[in-house]
Amino acid sequence: LPYFDWTPFFRSWQLAGKYPDILSDKLVGEEATKLFGDAKSMLEQIVSERWLQANAVVGLYAANAVGDDIEIYQDDSRSKVQLVLHQLRQQDERPAGKPYQSLADFIAPRETGVEDFIGAFAVTAGLGIDKHIEAYERDHRDYEAIMLKALADRFAEALAEFMHRKVRKELWGYQPEELLDNEALIQEKYQGIRPAPGYPACPEHTEKGLIWSLLDVERHTGISLTESFAMLPAASVSGLYFSHPQSRYFGLGKIYRDQVEDYARRKGMTVEEVEKWLAPNLGYA
């Protein structure tokens, strides 16, 4: 609960504004305050009656970049590649002095000899939600069903925040002295990023399948992937951990056929398959 970020909760109800300021907003403050009160009441019930179960799995691996790929090794000897993650690079024209970025830039290239690492994670807070949603929908209580889904999403994001902090301070331990309050966490003041497949820096969803293979996600957490690589339960988050001090989030933007062909080759997919998965990012017809 201390790791909740409430601003996206209000956004999911089409109420624009930042928490807690939104509660006193002239236009939506009254509606937001009522919604917040209902949410807090349901939260108490969720916690006291243990409606939801949260599971998480994280892994830390020896890794190096090879071009726009990231090789993950079986062990610290780095003699055998266990799995390859495939990244994409910005291609739209950038302002002068701004690099064309890829997530692979935040992992040391293999030829440097620098022994780098990467993390992966999957968390859920949606286990047990179905019976409660079904009960609400059976009683035509759509407001409560939507509220429960929205709160489960907040729990999942809070668990992702909690686990990332645990990784930075303890498990990976590259920021053991970190002292940040929740507002600083929400503003991403910490070192490192946790990009998720399907989001702007890495919009291609099939990479989730590699995370599932790497972490044995379904066995450890109960989160499964659909044919379209959506996560079930829906209140789940997965992605990668990068520790580089200069790592940052960015949008891939439009990419072009030369990179699509290269990505298809690296992934062992057809160009048509890649075009399907990356349709919103294609800069050509």
Side-chain angles (χ1 to χ4, degrees):
L1 288 175
Y3 291 83
F4 262 47
D5 178 4
W6 282 102
T7 298
F9 169 80
F10 292 104
R11 205 177 297 136
S12 72
W13 293 88
Q14 270 75 57
L15 294 177
K18 188 180 179 189
Y19 174 81
D21 298 343
I22 192 172
L23 300 178
S24 55
D25 185 88
K26 289 180 181 178
L27 289 176
V28 301
E30 187 176 345
E31 190 177 352
T33 299
K34 179 187 181 304
L35 188 69
F36 190 53
D38 292 344
K40 296 288 264 188
S41 295
M42 185 177 279
L43 262 184
E44 286 182 22
Q45 196 171 9
I46 291 170
V47 173
S48 65
E49 298 179 15
R50 295 184 165 279
W51 283 13
L52 302 175
Q53 180 183 336
N55 282 347
V57 60
V58 301
L60 302 171
Y61 305 92
N64 282 112
V66 179
D68 287 336
D69 286 340
I70 299 170
E71 290 185 344
I72 291 180
Y73 305 110
Q74 269 196 348
D75 53 46
D76 287 351
S77 73
R78 299 172 187 260
S79 58
K80 188 169 183 182
V81 175
Q82 179 176 346
L83 186 142
V84 178
L85 300 169
H86 313 87
Q87 308 305 322
L88 291 157
R89 185 170 296 279
Q90 293 172 321
Q91 279 190 284
D92 272 340
E93 191 167 349
R94 306 277 292 145
K98 295 285 185 180
Y100 293 81
Q101 292 184 298
S102 165
L103 288 175
D105 296 340
F106 305 135
I107 300 291
R110 188 175 61 191
E111 65 266 20
T112 64
V114 174
E115 295 185 344
D116 210 346
F117 298 86
I118 195 169
F121 72 94
V123 307
T124 185
L127 298 166
I129 196 173
D130 289 345
K131 66 179 181 181
H132 299 287
I133 296 295
E134 287 165 10
Y136 280 138
E137 291 177 345
R138 192 166 53 244
D139 294 339
H140 307 289
R141 297 170 66 183
D142 293 344
Y143 175 71
E144 286 89 348
I146 295 168
M147 176 71 75
L148 179 53
K149 290 176 185 176
L151 289 174
D153 286 344
R154 290 300 88 218
F155 267 116
E157 293 289 351
L159 179 55
E161 194 74 82
F162 171 83
M163 291 305 301
H164 195 187
R165 184 177 213 172
K166 188 175 182 68
V167 165
R168 293 191 304 272
K169 289 174 67 76
E170 300 171 35
L171 303 180
W172 195 335
Y174 64 85
Q175 289 280 281
E177 306 302 321
E178 178 185 288
L179 292 171
L180 298 174
D181 62 17
N182 193 46
E183 186 58 32
L185 295 178
I186 289 169
Q187 294 175 10
E188 297 163 358
K189 300 285 190 184
Y190 47 77
Q191 179 181 319
I193 56 174
R194 57 170 189 271
Y199 281 75
C202 45
E204 206 273 280
H205 282 274
T206 70
E207 288 289 294
K208 269 190 219 137
L210 297 173
I211 294 173
W212 255 243
S213 170
L214 189 64
L215 293 173
D216 200 358
V217 170
E218 189 162 359
R219 183 170 70 85
H220 282 119
T221 67
I223 313 169
S224 60
L225 292 176
T226 68
E227 284 187 6
S228 60
F229 290 88
M231 292 176 285
L232 293 176
S236 301
V237 187
S238 62
L240 301 170
Y241 294 133
F242 292 82
S243 67
H244 196 289
Q246 290 176 286
S247 60
R248 58 181 290 276
Y249 296 105
F250 59 89
L252 177 67
K254 296 297 183 185
I255 61 171
Y256 298 90
R257 189 172 178 90
D258 59 334
Q259 185 168 193
V260 167
E261 289 174 350
D262 176 65
Y263 189 72
R265 178 188 57 76
R266 290 190 279 132
K267 288 269 292 184
M269 297 169 73
T270 66
V271 170
E272 290 71 28
E273 285 176 304
V274 172
E275 287 176 334
K276 182 189 82 169
W277 289 107
L278 285 169
N281 293 89
L282 298 181
Y284 62 94

